[in-house]
Amino acid sequence: MSSTIHSRLQTVKSSIEVHKCTLVAVSKTKPNELIMEAYDAGQRDFGENKVQDLVAKAEALPKDIKWHMIGHLQRNKVKYIVPFVHLVHGIDSEKLLKEINKEAGKINRTVNGLLQVHIAKEDTKFGFSGEELEEFISNDGLSKYPNVKIEGLMGMATFTEDKGQVAEEFSMLKTLFDQYNWDTLSMGMSGDYQIAIAQGSNMIRVGTAIFGERNY
Ligand SMILES: *Cc1c(COP(=O)(O)O)cnc(C)c1O
């Protein structure tokens, strides 16, 4: 078992090494023992999409883990993760940004975050449209929220076999990203991280390819 996670981790890492790309191991639904196998293999960045799980795992596991909140974040749960979260990937509205800023301000912390951009054809995915983002930034929207440090963008491509479409969507996000002086472009999951990297991703969020299929 442990050799499986170890070797899958090495496989993903070896394909991103030359690209200066950070791997966030998405451990959602997975037990602490499996997370510790990846940890023992050297992995330190982990991602969860449920606040309750993120908090419980952060309490139970080693303190040098960098926890990434990768899914849709409800405003009423922001306060639970603000004290320790390393990076919030899914800032998908100004309301959420405002709430994170408020809670971070209360404890004198600056929280790192990514603005989520809606790039997929599916309308189930959260995020700013490209136009909304450009408008928000050009109106100096970020300066209103000094306790949130926006480091870049995050996006999810359409769930499709059409690699050309996925590449096109990632490329759109990269073009937006390049307009600003940002550090982090979070795009790519188990099924499409190679395409994402080819399009300029520098942070991928990979679960299944490391931990195996999830049983919900
Ligand atoms: C679950 C999840 C991932 C990882 O998905 P895999 O296909 O298992 O690699 C990445 N990003 C987000 C936002 C997720 O919710």
Side-chain angles (χ1 to χ4, degrees), residues 22-173:
T22 301
L23 168 63
V24 178
V26 175
S27 49
K28 63 191 188 195
T29 78
K30 298 296 175 182
N32 291 349
E33 302 81 76
L34 295 192
I35 298 176
M36 280 310 294
E37 288 182 17
Y39 179 91
D40 289 336
Q43 182 64 27
R44 290 295 179 272
D45 290 87
F46 290 91
E48 292 282 332
N49 69 339
K50 295 226 157 49
V51 166
Q52 208 178 341
D53 296 342
L54 185 58
V55 169
K57 288 174 177 179
E59 269 171 20
L61 292 164
K63 298 302 167 213
D64 62 341
I65 289 180
K66 295 173 185 165
W67 290 105
H68 297 246
M69 175 68 205
I70 61 165
H72 176 62
L73 175 58
Q74 288 171 303
R75 274 179 284 152
N76 61 352
K77 295 189 175 158
V78 164
K79 57 179 174 287
Y80 302 113
I81 63 166
V82 150
F84 69 91
V85 71
H86 177 68
L87 183 64
V88 179
H89 289 234
I91 303 181
D92 55 11
S93 69
E94 188 170 0
K95 281 179 173 170
L96 178 59
L97 181 58
K98 190 175 175 184
E99 181 68 16
I100 299 171
N101 184 66
K102 186 181 94 187
E103 291 299 328
K106 282 185 190 168
I107 58 167
N108 267 317
R109 194 175 179 228
T110 303
V111 169
N112 298 322
L114 305 176
L115 297 176
Q116 183 169 352
V117 181
H118 179 106
I119 52 171
K121 294 257 165 23
E122 298 144 4
D123 44 38
T124 52
K125 304 225 164 116
F126 296 97
F128 291 83
S129 71
E131 280 170 12
E132 284 166 347
L133 180 85
E134 284 171 341
E135 194 185 307
F136 180 60
I137 306 281
S138 62
N139 289 335
D140 210 16
L142 291 178
S143 65
K144 288 189 259 174
Y145 307 107
N147 286 85
V148 182
K149 181 169 185 288
I150 294 299
E151 293 191 338
L153 301 178
M154 179 269 208
M156 277 187 275
T158 305
F159 188 69
T160 171
E161 293 296 311
D162 184 348
K163 293 186 173 166
Q165 186 185 338
V166 171
E168 207 174 286
E169 291 171 359
F170 285 148
S171 160
M172 256 166 48
L173 189 60

Side-chain angles (χ1 to χ4, degrees), residues 26 28 49 70-71 154 156 188-191 205-209 214 216:
V26 175
K28 63 191 188 195
N49 69 339
I70 61 165
M154 179 269 208
M156 277 187 275
M189 318 185 3
S190 292
R205 311 174 309 271
V206 176
T208 312
R214 287 178 291 272
Y216 285 99

